[in-house]
Amino acid sequence: MGQIGNILKQKLPYIFFSLCALFLSYKRIQLDEKDYPFIQSDAQIKLYQTANYSQYGLWNHKCLYPGREIDPDFQFFPFDYPWAISGNGGSLKEDCYFQYPSYFSYLTLPVYRYLGLHGLNWFSFLFYVFASLLILIHLKYLTRLQNPIFLSFLVFLSLSGYPIYSGYEYSETTVGVFLFLLLFLLLTQEQNSLVSKDEANTPVSPQYRILSFLAGFFVSLAPFLRSELFIYLFFYVAISLVLSKQNVLILFRKNRGLVFGLLAGLTFFAIWNFIEFGHIFGVRGRLSLADMGEKTVVDRLFLVKDFFLGNQHKVGWIRSASVLLIIIITLLFLSRKHLKENAHLLILPISGMISLLTISILSPYNPGGLFAGLRFTDLSFYMFIVTIGQLLAFVESKEPLLWKNKLLLSVLVFFLILQTFLQIRILKKFFPLLDTVRNAQVELLKRWEVGGNLPVLHKNLFDGILISTSYLTQFHFLVLAESDAKKIQSLLAKEKISGFHLIWYDGEKPYDRNFSRKMYDEKINNKYDFPEVEYKLTKDDSKYGYRLQQFSLK
């Protein structure tokens, strides 16, 4: 029994990981009904991009708009800034682009074609799970953290932290973060090996250089998926040069294949973007850079405040992850005598924190409820988890702790339990929120099927976040004013369309500083009485805070 107990103890982190991954997979399955995969908000725009490439080819970057059969001038196109923009400042009819990176659609195009809509969600979800598995393997076999209890804690924290929001979206975030996490862990391990002088002159085979070149080239795609990853790359390299300057040349010689592959990939993808979209960062990068200059100091201060402290709709970073910093500081204190010769252990936490602060200040957006606004800093969260594991292994390997350090270790365990408790509390809000949004989306999609996939009219821009997969099979139009409502009815009647659905949020939308007051008044919280010109109201209902109406041709 003792031997079985020891085996189970050593396998505990993997058992814990498997149980957590199974539970999260079960929740993923729950969210995706057979005919209604859970794709909404930003994820639906990425779906439309992928569908467009599948239908029209990899070089057709224009907006997919089924409704152009009735509205060829894009006057009632259901999406606008920030989802769709004009490429060269002209009209959407001439030059409409969805803003998300084309590379992500290219990556998921085979999944879309062969596994369908449900496969897209699982693609992003699996990269989210793989990130935690990568951390577990790194900490156990490379960092050699032996304590299975600590490993199990870190597995749970990595799987249940705020990056989980990205894990349940069809999102490029999980892919980009996984690739850069892989890069940073490889480089961190190399720096760790160079502390042992015996490793410094280890010969490198040609095969390794070729493989590392290809790995560097592929990893270079990450910042073109998520532009904030350029910030992480810059600060990781800068902090590495400062803290490990005596090993930089050795590190470069051993990993020049990786470095050259990374530089070649960055150059290639930047040139591709410039040729296709007129900007090295693509449509999204150009849009983000432009928005950065338009925010006032007051707006930026409010966004930073909401990022760290949250508000009535958002959970701030301090509540979500600040305890991790306390744990890191405690471990740094425990290992303070040995840090001088092991300065490489500071690279991940310092570059992760500086990147987080920089992104929170520079980012022109902080959208979404709960902890959605933290997703730009998912990589920092993982960097802090890895740092805790590395420092725990470092402390574990040193001489027996004095009694006062054992007291500090007890404090450390308390903070690990506290962070676990905080993340569980947030998850208790997260999954019910997903269920509520999913139920509203499915209800709307089923309502819109009544009458044989009639066109759907939206009175407000942000009512379109629940359009989801129906965009691929139904016409959707945005009618922001009474004059628009009259004109679209005329166009529909001319085509002898028997009716349409009308939807709007039946309440006051709270003002969000992510958008201008003008946009809020004209497109988000605009109100008017819908006129019955060519069509008459036949059904009127309210559900999940939305007003749902159906009109028939007079």
Side-chain angles (χ1 to χ4, degrees):
M1 288 296 291
Q3 187 176 2
I4 295 175
N6 287 332
I7 293 173
L8 287 176
K9 188 177 179 182
Q10 291 304 313
K11 299 296 183 184
L12 181 63
Y14 290 100
I15 295 172
F16 214 74
F17 171 83
S18 300
L19 291 174
C20 290
L22 285 172
F23 172 76
L24 296 177
S25 299
Y26 170 71
K27 298 302 292 185
R28 174 72 269 172
I29 293 170
Q30 276 191 321
L31 286 171
D32 290 330
E33 290 197 13
K34 181 179 179 182
D35 297 320
Y36 306 101
F38 184 58
I39 297 177
Q40 47 84 41
S41 191
D42 295 354
Q44 66 189 19
I45 307 299
K46 299 163 192 176
L47 165 63
Y48 309 152
Q49 284 182 274
T50 305
N52 184 72
Y53 288 128
S54 177
Q55 188 172 350
Y56 297 109
L58 300 182
W59 284 268
N60 188 321
H61 307 296
K62 301 299 177 67
C63 296
L64 180 69
Y65 183 28
R68 71 190 309 163
E69 294 179 21
I70 294 173
D71 175 34
D73 293 331
F74 279 63
Q75 185 176 352
F76 306 107
F77 183 61
F79 303 107
D80 201 342
Y81 170 90
W83 292 309
I85 64 168
S86 172
N88 295 308
S91 67
L92 289 177
K93 175 186 177 182
E94 299 164 343
D95 219 15
C96 178
Y97 291 93
F98 287 129
Q99 67 133 316
Y100 295 100
S102 60
Y103 298 125
F104 180 62
S105 292
Y106 292 164
L107 280 176
T108 58
L109 187 55
V111 179
Y112 174 72
R113 284 182 173 174
Y114 297 110
L115 298 178
L117 299 172
H118 291 80
L120 296 178
N121 282 333
W122 281 94
F123 180 87
S124 299
F125 175 78
L126 289 175
F127 271 96
Y128 166 72
V129 175
F130 290 160
S132 294
L133 180 60
L134 180 64
I135 290 173
L136 173 58
I137 293 171
H138 174 81
L139 292 180
K140 183 168 180 63
Y141 293 106
L142 299 179
T143 305
R144 301 192 183 282
L145 176 59
Q146 299 300 317
N147 191 305
I149 304 299
F150 282 141
L151 272 172
S152 298
F153 262 118
L154 295 177
V155 164
F156 178 79
L157 292 179
S158 66
L159 278 170
S160 63
Y162 64 77
I164 197 173
Y165 186 94
S166 302
Y168 280 90
E169 273 200 320
Y170 170 49
S171 170
E172 74 284 359
T173 301
T174 59
V175 183
V177 167
F178 175 85
L179 290 176
F180 254 32
L181 184 63
L182 178 62
L183 173 67
F184 289 170
L185 292 184
L186 286 173
L187 293 177
T188 300
Q189 183 58 30
E190 286 293 327
Q191 294 189 50
N192 187 47
S193 68
L194 291 180
V195 174
S196 170
K197 300 302 180 184
D198 296 335
E199 298 281 348
N201 297 312
T202 303
V204 176
S205 68
Q207 293 87 344
Y208 174 81
R209 287 176 182 164
I210 293 172
L211 289 174
S212 62
F213 178 88
L214 294 174
F217 187 90
F218 189 62
V219 165
S220 70
L221 178 62
F224 293 99
L225 295 175
R226 296 295 309 186
S227 53
E228 66 269 13
L229 294 179
F230 278 108
I231 294 174
Y232 282 99
L233 181 61
F234 172 79
F235 283 115
Y236 183 90
V237 172
I239 301 302
S240 297
L241 291 174
V242 172
L243 295 180
S244 299
K245 51 183 177 291
Q246 68 274 17
N247 290 323
V248 166
L249 290 178
I250 300 173
L251 194 63
F252 174 75
R253 281 199 301 269
K254 288 191 67 178
N255 295 280
R256 56 181 178 269
L258 183 69
V259 174
F260 288 143
L262 189 65
L263 293 174
L266 291 173
T267 304
F268 173 81
F269 293 122
I271 292 174
W272 177 281
N273 270 342
F274 186 79
I275 293 172
E276 294 295 314
F277 304 105
H279 196 286
I280 61 173
F281 297 132
V283 175
R284 182 178 190 157
R286 182 167 61 100
L287 182 65
S288 298
L289 290 172
D291 288 344
M292 282 173 59
E294 293 182 2
K295 294 294 182 184
T296 66
V297 174
V298 174
D299 284 338
R300 200 169 291 279
L301 288 174
F302 268 99
L303 290 175
V304 172
K305 187 271 293 182
D306 287 348
F307 177 87
F308 285 103
L309 301 179
N311 56 35
Q312 68 267 36
H313 304 293
K314 303 175 189 290
V315 177
W317 184 85
I318 289 178
R319 184 178 165 192
S320 299
S322 61
V323 174
L324 296 178
L325 283 187
I326 298 175
I327 296 171
I328 290 172
I329 292 169
T330 303
L331 285 166
L332 288 174
F333 182 80
L334 287 171
S335 50
R336 63 195 181 279
K337 294 179 181 178
H338 309 278
L339 282 180
K340 187 174 181 180
E341 62 270 23
N342 293 278
H344 63 281
L345 292 172
L346 299 174
I347 295 173
L348 281 179
I350 293 177
S351 59
M353 193 65 213
I354 294 176
S355 297
L356 184 145
L357 292 171
T358 303
I359 291 168
S360 68
I361 293 169
L362 294 181
S363 176
Y365 322 110
N366 182 15
L370 206 53
F371 44 79
L374 305 180
R375 63 184 179 273
F376 304 130
T377 61
D378 284 358
L379 186 55
S380 286
F381 182 88
Y382 290 128
M383 292 166 82
F384 295 151
I385 294 291
V386 172
T387 298
I388 291 171
Q390 290 177 337
L391 290 173
L392 280 169
F394 187 72
V395 171
E396 215 176 37
S397 67
K398 297 304 169 185
E399 65 274 1
L401 297 171
L402 299 174
W403 70 267
K404 60 180 180 180
N405 283 351
K406 287 184 178 178
L407 179 61
L408 278 174
L409 208 56
S410 300
V411 173
L412 171 69
V413 172
F414 166 77
F415 282 121
L416 280 171
I417 295 172
L418 176 61
Q419 180 65 25
T420 303
F421 172 74
L422 290 174
Q423 290 186 193
I424 289 174
R425 285 194 63 185
I426 293 173
L427 288 182
K428 282 185 168 182
K429 295 181 179 179
F430 175 65
F431 287 119
L433 175 64
L434 289 186
D435 289 337
T436 300
V437 176
R438 187 273 313 269
N439 292 338
Q441 175 185 293
V442 172
E443 176 72 22
L444 288 176
L445 294 179
K446 288 181 177 179
R447 291 288 187 97
W448 293 340
E449 289 174 352
V450 175
N453 286 351
L454 296 173
V456 182
L457 276 55
H458 304 263
K459 290 175 72 173
N460 312 118
L461 177 62
F462 275 74
D463 293 339
I465 63 173
L466 294 175
I467 289 177
S468 189
T469 56
S470 68
Y471 188 73
L472 303 178
T473 57
Q474 287 178 272
F475 296 152
H476 286 263
F477 301 108
L478 178 64
V479 286
L480 294 172
E482 185 176 338
S483 59
D484 294 333
K486 292 177 179 178
K487 187 170 183 180
I488 192 66
Q489 288 184 67
S490 176
L491 291 174
L492 294 174
K494 184 179 178 181
E495 297 292 329
K496 294 183 170 42
I497 291 177
S498 62
F500 60 83
H501 300 279
L502 178 68
I503 176 177
W504 75 93
Y505 183 73
D506 196 15
E508 187 78 13
K509 287 189 175 72
Y511 175 62
D512 189 336
R513 287 183 179 271
N514 286 284
F515 308 102
S516 67
R517 174 62 69 173
K518 183 175 184 293
M519 183 176 178
Y520 172 79
D521 292 335
E522 294 180 359
K523 298 182 179 182
I524 298 174
N525 199 47
N526 55 311
K527 299 180 185 297
Y528 66 92
D529 293 325
F530 193 87
E532 298 181 42
V533 182
E534 305 284 349
Y535 292 79
K536 61 182 179 181
L537 179 66
T538 56
K539 290 182 181 178
D540 192 353
D541 194 10
S542 294
K543 196 80 172 180
Y544 295 104
Y546 287 91
R547 193 76 170 270
L548 309 171
Q549 295 183 336
Q550 187 171 336
F551 288 76
S552 297
L553 188 64
K554 289 182 178 179

